[in-house]
C-alpha cells in the first residue's frame, strides 16, 4: 500500500512538472511579451526595449526556464509583472474567493441535481419526469452568460432582491462580523445560482440514469417484494449505490474550486482565479501563468486522487 | 506660453484672494444651486489600481486619474489643448519661472502643503521623486520623458530647480510629469525592493482625498482629507471606485442606480443612458482616432496611389454611423481635429469607389481575368486585416470594410487576433493591414508615429512609413522653441501625410461618460473625468 501511494505521489509530481513545463514553452512560443502592449503615446518607443531588458524578457528560453524552475522548486513563484506583487499574494487573494463561490455553487448544484434526479427516478417516464428532463437539458445547454444575465435582469434589476456584483458592499468593512457574513451570502446568491443552474442538469441526468439501472437490480426488487415502499427502496437501497458514478463527477469538478469561471467572474465582478488567469495570459505574465497552471494541475491530480479514494471507501469491490 | 505667463503674473493676487477667503461652514438653509457638503459618489472602473506607486510599472490613464486625487503634481495641466498648447495652473508649486537661457526652471512650492501624516511636502520630495523617475532599477515606462533633465536641485524647502540639457517647448510639461511621492516614507525602502513592495502598506498621500479602504480587485474607497492644504476642498465625503470589468454590467448598474458614473459608455448603450431621466450622457471630445495601418513596406501597399484608392473605397461615414452610432467623426489626418495643432485645412477624402477603381487600374492592380478580384503581378491580391479579437466594434468595422473593398475588386480577409499576439506581429512588421486606434498625447510630436523608423531610438511607426520631406519637417518642428512656429511645419507635414495616406484615417472617437443627474457641479472635460471632483456635490 505504501509503495502504491509513493508511486502515485511521484506520478502526480511528474504530471504537474510536465504540464508546467509544457505551458512554459507554449507561452514562450506565443508571439509577444509583456512589453508588446506598451504602445502608448505617453511612452517613448525605446522604453519597450529597456523594459524587456529589465524584466529579462530577452534572455534565452532555457535561461528563463531554469531560473523559473529553480525558484519554483523552493516554492517561490516570483513576482507578477502585471499585478506588481508577489505571485503568492495575488493567488492568496483570488484563490479563497474562487473556492468560496465554486464551493457554494457546486454544493447547491449537487443538492439541486440530486433532488431533481430522485424526483425523476421516483416516477420515471411520467409527464412530470419528461418535463423535468426537458428543463434540465435546457439548463445544461444554456450558455453561462445567458443564465447569469437572466438572473441579473430578474433578481437584481427588475426586482432588486440581490446585489448584482462583487463580494461585498462598499460599506461592509464597517459592519459587525455576522452582518458581514450575511452581506457576503447575499452577494453569493446570484453567481452561485448561475453555477448551480448550469450544472445541476448534468448531475440530475447522471443520477436518474444510474437510479433506473439500480432499480432493476435484484436487491431492489427483493426489497420491494419484501413489502418495502417504492420511496424507501429508492432512497435507502438504490440511492447509495447510484451515487457511486457521481463520485467521479464530483472529483472531476474539484479543479473548478481553484480555477473558477471567467464568464461568471467577469459578469458578477467576482475577483477570482478565472480573471487572474485570463489577464495573466493576455499580458504574457509568465510567473503568474506558471503559478496558476501549477495550482490548477495540482487540483486536477488531487481531484482524481480523491475520487479514487472515495471509491475505495464507498465500494469494497474496487479496493486494492 | 502667453497664458502661463499671464497666470504667473496674476498669481500673487490669486493666492491672496484665496488666503483671505474663510472656509464656509455647511449652511443649514441652502439657497437653490448652492453646493451641499457630504454624500458619496460611486464610480465604475474596469480594473483595479495596480499600485499606489506609479513608478513601479505601467499605469493606465484611469489609474493615473485616481492617483491625481491622492498625490500632488507640481502643476495641473489644463484641459485647453483644443485651443492652444496646454497651459498649467498651480498645484504643489505656486509659481515658476525660467532662467535667461531657458535651461533652468525654478519652482516655488506651497509652504503649507503636507502629507497625510502631517509631514510637510518639500522640495526634498520633488528631488527624491526625480531620482526615482530616473532610476534604472525601476520599470517606469515614462523614464524617457526626463531625458533632457540633468538634475534637480533643492534650493530651500520651498524652492526647487530643474536643470535642462537643452531648451525646448515642452520643458514645463516634462518637468511636471509624474506624481510627487513621499521621500520621508518611501525613501526608506531601497529602490531594488520597490517593484516587489506592496505600497498600500506604506501609504502616505497628499491630495484632496485619502484612502479610506481598499479591497483589491473590488472596491477602493477614498474619503475627503480634512487636512488638504489646497482649495477648493471637496464637498463629497467619499468617492467609491467599484471594479466592474464588463462594460455592459457597468451600464446596467448605472441604469439601476447602483453606480453614479461610468467612464466609457459603449456607443450602443448611449440611447439607454440618454433616455433615462435620472442620468446624463456627456460627450467628451477625445484624442482617440481609429485607422487602418497599411504595411507601407509591402507592394502593392507601398504605392501611395493604392493606399489612397483603398481609402476612397471605404465608406467611413457609414462606419461612424453604424459601428459608433454616430458618436464619432470621420478622421482627416494624423492629429485629431480636437487638438490645437490639427491642420484645419486638410481635405476629407470622399467615399468614391469609381475614382478608387481608376486609381487601382493606373497603379497596376487590375482584374485581368475578369473574375471580379484584382491581381497584382499576376497573382490574386489578398489583404489580411488584423484586429483584436475581443473588440466587437472592430469586428463589425472590419466586415464593413471588407464589403466596401469587394465592390472595387479588392479581396480583404478580416483576421481576429489576440491583442498581444497582434502587437507582436505589428512590431515585427509581419502583416498586411491592421485595424487599430491611437490616443494622441497632449504633447504634440509627430516623431514616434510618422518619422522614418530608426533602429536606435525605437519607433511606433510600425507600418514603415517613410517620407524624407516629412522627416525634415518633423526635425525642424522639434528644434523650434515656439510651438506656434512649430505648428507651421506640422501643418505642412500633416498635408503630406494625408497625401501619402500611409494609413486610412477612419474616425475620431467621442468619449461617452454616463453620470447621474443627482451629481451637480461636475465639469467633465477632456483632461480627466475627475478634473474638478473637489467641486462635485450630490443632491439628497
Amino acid at each position: 500500500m505504501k509503495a502504491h501511494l509513493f508511486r502515485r505521489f511521484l506520478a502526480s509530481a511528474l504530471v504537474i512538472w510536465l504540464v508546467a513545463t509544457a505551458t512554459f514553452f507554449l507561452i514562450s512560443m506565443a508571439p509577444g511579451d509583456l512589453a508588446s502592449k506598451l504602445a502608448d503615446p505617453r511612452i517613448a518607443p525605446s522604453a519597450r526595449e529597456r523594459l524587456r531588458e529589465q524584466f529579462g524578457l530577452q534572455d534565452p528560453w532555457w535561461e528563463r526556464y531554469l531560473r523559473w524552475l529553480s525558484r519554483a522548486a523552493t516554492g517561490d513563484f516570483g513576482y507578477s509583472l502585471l499585478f506588481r506583487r508577489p505571485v503568492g499574494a495575488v493567488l492568496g487573494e483570488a484563490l479563497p474567493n474562487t473556492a468560496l463561490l465554486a464551493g457554494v455553487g457546486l454544493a447547491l448544484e449537487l443538492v439541486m441535481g440530486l433532488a431533481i434526479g430522485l424526483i425523476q427516478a421516483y416516477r420515471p417516464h411520467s409527464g412530470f419526469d419528461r418535463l423535468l428532463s426537458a428543463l434540465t437539458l435546457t439548463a445544461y445547454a444554456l450558455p453561462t452568460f445567458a443564465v447569469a444575465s437572466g438572473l441579473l435582469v430578474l433578481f437584481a434589476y427588475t426586482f432588486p432582491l440581490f446585489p448584482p456584483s462583487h463580494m461585498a458592499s462598499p460599506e461592509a468593512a464597517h459592519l459587525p462580523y455576522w452582518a458581514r457574513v450575511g452581506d457576503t451570502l447575499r452577494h453569493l446568491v446570484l453567481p452561485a445560482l448561475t453555477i448551480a443552474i448550469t450544472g445541476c442538469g448534468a448531475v440530475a441526468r447522471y443520477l436518474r440514469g444510474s437510479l433506473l439501472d439500480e432499480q432493476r437490480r435484484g436487491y431492489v426488487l427483493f426489497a420491494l417484494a419484501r413489502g418495502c415502499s417504492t420511496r424507501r427502496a429508492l432512497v435507502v437501497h438504490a440511492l447509495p449505490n447510484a451515487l457511486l458514478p457521481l463520485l467521479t463527477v464530483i472529483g472531476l469538478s474539484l479543479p473548478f474550486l481553484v480555477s473558477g469561471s471567467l464568464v461568471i467572474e467577469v459578469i458578477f465582478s467576482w475577483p477570482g482565479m478565472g480573471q487572474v488567469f485570463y489577464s495573466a495570459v493576455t499580458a504574457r505574465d509568465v510567473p503568474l501563468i506558471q503559478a496558476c497552471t501549477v495550482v490548477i494541475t495540482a487540483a486536477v491530480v488531487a481531484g482524481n486522487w480523491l475520487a479514487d479514494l472515495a471509491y475505495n471507501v464507498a465500494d469494497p469491490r474496487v479496493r486494492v | 506660453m502667453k497664458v502661463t505667463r499671464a497666470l504667473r503674473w496674476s498669481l500673487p493676487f490669486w493666492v491672496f484672494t484665496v488666503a483671505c477667503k474663510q472656509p464656509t461652514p455647511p449652511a443649514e438653509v441652502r439657497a437653490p444651486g448652492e453646493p451641499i457638503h457630504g454624500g458619496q459618489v460611486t464610480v465604475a472602473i474596469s480594473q483595479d489600481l495596480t499600485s499606489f506607486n506609479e513608478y513601479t510599472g505601467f499605469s493606465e490613464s484611469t489609474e493615473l486619474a485616481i492617483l491625481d486625487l491622492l498625490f500632488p503634481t507640481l502643476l495641473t495641466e489644463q484641459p485647453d489643448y483644443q485651443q492652444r498648447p496646454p497651459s498649467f495652473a498651480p498645484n504643489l508649486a505656486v509659481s515658476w519661472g525660467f532662467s535667461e537661457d531657458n535651461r533652468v526652471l525654478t519652482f516655488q512650492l506651497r509652504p503649507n502643503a503636507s502629507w497625510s501624516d502631517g509631514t510637510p511636502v518639500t522640495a526634498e520630495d520633488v528631488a527624491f521623486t526625480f531620482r526615482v523617475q530616473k532610476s534604472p532599477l525601476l520599470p517606469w515606462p515614462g523614464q524617457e520623458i526626463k531625458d533632457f533633465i540633468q538634475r534637480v536641485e533643492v534650493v530651500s524647502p520651498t524652492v526647487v530647480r530643474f536643470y535642462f540639457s537643452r531648451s525646448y517647448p515642452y520643458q514645463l510639461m516634462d518637468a511636471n510629469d509624474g506624481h510627487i511621492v513621499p521621500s520621508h516614507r518611501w525613501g526608506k525602502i531601497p529602490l531594488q525592493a520597490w517593484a516587489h513592495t506592496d505600497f498600500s502598506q506604506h501609504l502616505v498621500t497628499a491630495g484632496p482625498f485619502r484612502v479610506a479602504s481598499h479591497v483589491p480587485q473590488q472596491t477602493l474607497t477614498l474619503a475627503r482629507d480634512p487636512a488638504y492644504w489646497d482649495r477648493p476642498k471637496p464637498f463629497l465625503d467619499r468617492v467609491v471606485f467599484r471594479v466592474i470589468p464588463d462594460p455592459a454590467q457597468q451600464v446596467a448598474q448605472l441604469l439601476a442606480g447602483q453606480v453614479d458614473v461610468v467612464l466609457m459608455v459603449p456607443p450602443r448603450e448611449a440611447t439607454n443612458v440618454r433616455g433615462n431621466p435620472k442620468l446624463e450622457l456627456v460627450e467628451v471630445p477625445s484624442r482617440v482616432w481609429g485607422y487602418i495601418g497599411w504595411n507601407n513596406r509591402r507592394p502593392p501597399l507601398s504605392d501611395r496611389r493604392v493606399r489612397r484608392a483603398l481609402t476612397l473605397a471605404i465608406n467611413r461615414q457609414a462606419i461612424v454611423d453604424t459601428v459608433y452610432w454616430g458618436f464619432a467623426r470621420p478622421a482627416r489626418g494624423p492629429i485629431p481635429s480636437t487638438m490645437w495643432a490639427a491642420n484645419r485645412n486638410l481635405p476629407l477624402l470622399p467615399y468614391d469607389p469609381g475614382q478608387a477603381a481608376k486609381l487601382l487600374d493606373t497603379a497596376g492592380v487590375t482584374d485581368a481575368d475578369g473574375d471580379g478580384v484584382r491581381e497584382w503581378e499576376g497573382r490574386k491580391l489578398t489583404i489580411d486585416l488584423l484586429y483584436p479579437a475581443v473588440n466587437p466594434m472592430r469586428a463589425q468595422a472590419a466586415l464593413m470594410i471588407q464589403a466596401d473593398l469587394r465592390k472595387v475588386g479588392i479581396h480583404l480577409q478580416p483576421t481576429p487576433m489576440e491583442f498581444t499576439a497582434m502587437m507582436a506581429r505589428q512590431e515585427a512588421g509581419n502583416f498586411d493591414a491592421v485595424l487599430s486606434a491611437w490616443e494622441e498625447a497632449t504633447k504634440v510630436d509627430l516623431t514616434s508615429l510618422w518619422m522614418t523608423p530608426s533602429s536606435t531610438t525605437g519607433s511606433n511607426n510600425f507600418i514603415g512609413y517613410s517620407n524624407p520631406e516629412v522627416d525634415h519637417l518633423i526635425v525642424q518642428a522639434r528644434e523650434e522653441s515656439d510651438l506656434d512656429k512649430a505648428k507651421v511645419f506640422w501643418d505642412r507635414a500633416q498635408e503630406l501625410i494625408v497625401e501619402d495616406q500611409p494609413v486610412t484615417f477612419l474616425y475620431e472617437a467621442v468619449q461617452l461618460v454616463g453620470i447621474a443627474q443627482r451629481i451637480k457641479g461636475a465639469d467633465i472635460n477632456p483632461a480627466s473625468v475627475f478634473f474638478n471632483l473637489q467641486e462635485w456635490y450630490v443632491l439628497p
Side-chain angles (χ1 to χ4, degrees):
Chain A
M1 184 67 187
K2 261 188 192 162
H4 170 78
L5 277 178
F6 183 68
R7 270 204 307 277
R8 187 101 201 230
F9 178 77
L10 269 188
S12 308
L14 189 70
V15 166
I16 294 171
W17 172 73
L18 278 175
V19 171
T21 304
T23 314
F24 189 93
F25 288 113
L26 283 173
I27 286 294
S28 305
M29 276 195 289
D33 55 32
L34 194 79
S36 314
K37 270 175 65 156
L38 293 177
D40 188 289
R42 292 170 293 141
I43 293 168
S46 53
R48 276 203 289 274
E49 293 309 311
R50 176 170 57 80
L51 291 174
R52 283 193 175 121
E53 222 162 89
Q54 276 181 334
F55 292 138
L57 300 175
Q58 282 164 321
D59 299 344
W61 59 263
W62 53 268
E63 237 181 85
R64 281 180 287 132
Y65 176 68
L66 288 179
R67 203 160 53 210
W68 172 78
L69 192 65
S70 61
R71 280 206 196 133
T74 65
D76 172 13
F77 284 101
Y79 291 96
S80 159
L81 308 177
L82 179 71
F83 289 90
R84 302 195 225 161
R85 269 179 302 153
V87 163
V90 176
L91 295 191
E93 272 160 19
L95 263 175
N97 298 347
T98 290
L100 175 68
L101 172 57
V104 173
L106 283 180
L108 208 58
E109 169 188 316
L110 278 176
V111 170
M112 281 166 63
L114 287 179
I116 297 171
L118 266 175
I119 293 169
Q120 285 187 287
Y122 183 59
R123 295 229 190 287
H125 312 297
S126 65
F128 193 53
D129 173 36
R130 284 202 196 101
L131 175 73
L132 281 178
S133 278
L135 283 178
T136 47
L137 271 178
T138 313
Y140 186 56
L142 273 176
T144 309
F145 77 86
V147 176
S149 308
L151 287 176
L152 273 174
V153 168
L154 258 177
F155 299 116
Y157 298 133
T158 314
F159 307 103
L161 296 172
F162 300 103
S165 64
H166 296 90
M167 290 183 66
S169 314
E171 56 280 355
H174 312 291
L175 297 174
Y177 180 77
W178 284 110
R180 271 208 314 271
V181 172
D183 184 59
T184 308
L185 284 178
R186 263 165 36 83
H187 283 81
L188 259 171
V189 172
L190 295 183
L193 257 182
T194 308
I195 296 176
I197 290 175
T198 47
C200 72
V203 176
R205 302 293 304 166
Y206 266 108
L207 188 71
R208 179 184 178 277
S210 60
L211 270 176
L212 290 188
D213 280 350
E214 293 301 323
Q215 274 173 319
R216 281 193 286 271
R217 296 278 176 88
Y219 70 93
V220 179
L221 293 177
F222 177 69
L224 287 170
R226 241 182 22 190
C228 172
S229 73
T230 323
R231 196 177 301 173
R232 194 176 151 81
L234 189 73
V235 177
V236 178
H237 297 283
L239 186 62
N241 286 308
L243 281 177
L244 277 177
L246 269 181
L247 286 178
T248 318
V249 179
I250 297 168
L252 289 181
S253 50
L254 197 74
F256 181 61
L257 286 172
V258 297
S259 69
S261 150
L262 177 67
V263 177
I264 291 179
E265 287 179 13
V266 166
I267 294 183
F268 292 102
S269 311
W270 194 273
M273 289 291 285
Q275 287 198 63
V276 166
F277 204 2
Y278 177 72
S279 32
V281 171
T282 49
R284 305 279 188 277
D285 187 352
V286 177
L288 191 53
I289 296 173
Q290 288 300 102
C292 289
T293 312
V294 168
V295 168
I296 293 169
T297 316
V300 173
V301 171
N304 271 308
W305 224 14
L306 284 178
D308 286 358
L309 213 66
Y311 254 101
N312 254 315
V313 175
D315 189 350
R317 287 169 299 182
V318 294
R319 233 165 253 174
V320 274
Chain B
M1 290 282 150
K2 275 179 201 153
V3 174
T4 322
R5 240 171 250 144
L7 249 175
R8 208 185 306 161
W9 284 117
S10 67
L11 259 177
F13 171 71
W14 188 87
V15 171
F16 178 76
T17 2
V18 167
C20 290
K21 228 174 172 179
Q22 289 300 313
T24 40
E28 291 278 299
V29 184
R30 192 177 61 87
E34 198 177 307
I36 305 164
H37 288 262
Q40 76 173 36
V41 160
T42 307
V43 181
I45 51 176
S46 32
Q47 60 182 56
D48 193 17
L49 202 65
T50 13
S51 172
F52 287 101
N53 185 344
E54 69 172 294
Y55 301 113
T56 57
F58 176 70
S59 307
E60 307 276 347
S61 51
T62 310
E63 294 186 54
L64 291 176
I66 296 174
L67 291 179
D68 272 342
L69 305 171
L70 298 171
F71 296 93
T73 43
L74 284 165
L75 309 170
T76 305
E77 189 178 314
Q78 298 299 294
D80 52 1
Y81 64 76
Q82 288 176 279
Q83 297 88 36
R84 59 184 86 87
S87 62
F88 291 86
N91 188 335
L92 179 62
V94 279
S95 66
W96 59 94
F98 281 98
S99 64
E100 283 286 301
D101 66 351
N102 258 330
R103 298 237 182 138
V104 184
L105 171 59
T106 308
F107 288 98
Q108 175 79 44
L109 306 186
R110 219 173 272 276
N112 61 337
S114 63
W115 296 104
S116 49
D117 61 359
T119 316
V121 185
T122 64
E124 190 44 58
D125 292 312
V126 179
F128 169 71
T129 302
F130 177 70
R131 284 199 297 279
V132 166
Q133 291 167 334
K134 291 280 260 192
S135 168
L137 297 168
L138 295 177
W140 185 49
Q143 211 172 91
E144 282 75 7
I145 295 169
K146 308 285 176 181
D147 271 354
F148 301 121
I149 305 173
Q150 290 169 313
R151 64 195 172 91
V152 171
E153 181 193 33
V154 177
V155 181
S156 77
T158 54
V159 178
V160 62
R161 271 195 193 121
F162 284 65
Y163 290 84
F164 288 83
S165 61
R166 51 178 283 237
S167 151
Y168 61 103
Y170 289 120
Q171 279 167 282
L172 197 59
M173 194 183 258
D174 287 354
N176 185 47
D177 199 280
H179 295 96
I180 306 299
V181 293
S183 66
H184 69 288
R185 288 293 294 272
W186 294 6
K188 288 184 187 145
I189 306 165
L191 290 178
Q192 288 91 330
W194 272 39
H196 316 140
T197 301
D198 180 0
F199 279 88
S200 63
Q201 303 300 315
H202 307 271
L203 207 52
V204 182
T205 57
F209 292 89
R210 58 171 76 176
V211 177
S213 69
H214 182 216
V215 186
Q217 311 304 319
Q218 289 205 71
T219 310
L220 170 66
T221 307
L222 305 187
R224 179 161 49 91
D225 191 337
Y228 184 48
W229 31 269
D230 196 2
R231 271 155 234 283
K233 292 190 183 192
F235 292 116
L236 296 172
D237 281 341
R238 272 178 310 276
V239 182
V240 180
F241 294 93
R242 290 284 253 175
V243 182
I244 305 175
D246 183 16
Q249 288 309 319
Q250 290 192 2
V251 175
Q253 296 203 20
L254 178 73
L255 293 168
Q258 269 133 346
V259 302
D260 300 305
V261 183
V262 168
L263 302 174
M264 268 190 238
V265 176
R268 64 169 185 281
E269 308 274 8
T271 39
N272 282 337
V273 175
R274 185 169 272 169
N276 188 314
K278 288 184 176 163
L279 302 175
E280 192 187 343
L281 183 77
V282 185
E283 291 178 44
V284 187
S286 86
R287 304 184 305 273
V288 175
W289 52 279
Y291 63 90
I292 308 170
W294 309 105
N295 191 336
N296 284 228
R297 296 184 182 97
R298 278 192 186 170
L301 295 170
S302 51
D303 186 336
R304 71 174 185 173
R305 287 173 300 179
V306 175
R307 298 191 303 255
R308 194 181 178 83
L310 293 172
T311 301
L312 290 169
I314 297 167
N315 188 348
R316 284 156 293 145
Q317 185 64 50
I319 294 177
V320 163
D321 291 341
T322 315
V323 181
Y324 295 91
W325 297 68
F327 294 104
R329 283 178 300 277
R332 286 163 196 262
I335 299 177
S337 61
T338 50
M339 299 187 69
W340 70 277
N343 181 342
R344 312 264 169 220
N345 302 318
L346 292 179
L348 180 64
L349 293 192
Y351 169 53
D352 189 346
Q355 205 194 331
K358 274 184 217 149
L359 257 177
L360 287 170
D361 286 337
T362 46
V365 184
T366 51
D367 180 16
D369 57 8
D371 67 347
V373 179
R374 291 174 187 265
E375 297 98 44
W376 167 248
E377 291 184 335
R379 283 204 314 209
K380 268 194 207 324
L381 178 64
T382 298
I383 300 173
D384 248 351
L385 177 68
L386 310 184
Y387 68 90
V390 286
N391 190 329
M393 297 212 281
R394 295 272 150 77
Q396 203 186 345
L399 289 177
M400 293 179 72
I401 293 163
Q402 181 187 39
D404 280 343
L405 291 183
R406 191 181 292 140
K407 288 179 203 154
V408 294
I410 295 285
H411 177 59
L412 179 119
Q413 183 58 52
T415 312
M417 276 193 88
E418 190 244 347
F419 183 69
T420 310
M422 184 182 118
M423 297 303 280
R425 273 184 70 178
Q426 274 190 17
E427 232 183 312
N430 177 21
F431 65 96
D432 296 331
V434 290
L435 182 56
S436 197
W438 183 259
E439 182 176 12
E440 206 60 52
T442 54
K443 179 177 167 181
V444 175
D445 185 3
L446 298 177
T447 311
S448 99
L449 278 191
W450 307 105
M451 187 118 156
T452 304
S454 102
S455 53
T456 50
T457 56
S459 173
N460 284 321
N461 178 2
F462 58 86
I463 54 168
Y465 174 61
S466 175
N467 180 339
E469 207 183 333
V470 171
D471 289 354
H472 186 62
L473 287 164
I474 292 174
V475 172
Q476 276 179 303
R478 238 175 17 199
E479 281 165 5
E480 202 48 74
S481 60
D482 183 348
L483 285 175
D484 287 327
K485 287 184 186 151
K487 184 171 186 301
V488 179
F489 299 114
W490 284 334
D491 277 353
R492 178 69 190 133
Q494 290 175 69
E495 280 168 21
L496 291 173
I497 292 169
V498 170
E499 276 169 32
D500 288 338
Q501 286 288 305
V503 306
T504 291
F505 298 99
L506 283 178
Y507 65 89
E508 287 178 3
V510 174
Q511 187 188 347
L512 299 173
V513 178
I515 182 167
Q517 295 265 15
R518 70 182 191 102
I519 299 175
K520 301 292 172 194
D523 166 28
I524 292 177
N525 66 48
S528 155
V529 170
F530 313 125
F531 189 77
N532 78 332
L533 189 62
Q534 284 112 295
E535 291 161 66
W536 292 23
Y537 61 95
V538 286
L539 297 182

